[in-house]
Amino acid sequence: MTRQEKRALMLLKSLIFHYHGLDEDEKALLEESANQYAAHRELDWANAFIAEDFLSAFERAREFLNKVIGVLPKEKKLDHLIAVWQDNHKKGYMTEMEATAMINLAKDWDIQSELMERVREG
C-alpha cells in the first residue's frame, strides 16, 4: 500500500469516527489500524486534516479520497470501505450519519450496490 493510500485509509476511518466526537473506543480502533498498516504518521496527518476545519472536513476529505481511493480498482475501493464499516461494528454501534457518509462515498466510487451486498452478507 502506498503512503498516499495509507493516508486516504486513515483519513477515511478517522473522518467517519469523528462524526460524533472521537471516543476512547474509536481512538483504540484507529491505533489498531495504524499498527496494522504501519501508518502512525498517516493517522497523525489525517487527524490534523480534520482538525484544520472540522465543519468542512467531510467535503475536503471527499475530494482527497476521490483522487486517491476513487481511482483504485473496484475491489480495492470496496475493501477499504468495508474495513471502515467493520471497525464501526467493532465499537458496537453505527450511527445513521456514519452509515450515510460511507454510502455517499460508495456512490462516488461507483460501488454502492457492491457495498450493500457485502454488508448484507455480514
Side-chain angles (χ1 to χ4, degrees), residues 6 33-42:
K6 286 181 185 182
S33 290
N35 289 337
Q36 177 183 356
Y37 297 108
H40 290 278
R41 285 188 296 172
E42 290 80 0

Side-chain angles (χ1 to χ4, degrees), residues 49-64:
F49 181 100
I50 293 166
E52 182 180 312
D53 180 13
F54 184 77
L55 295 177
S56 70
F58 184 77
E59 287 308 315
R60 289 183 300 111
R62 194 173 189 176
E63 185 178 316
F64 178 81

Side-chain angles (χ1 to χ4, degrees), residues 2 23 25 69:
T2 68
D23 66 26
D25 291 337
I69 294 179

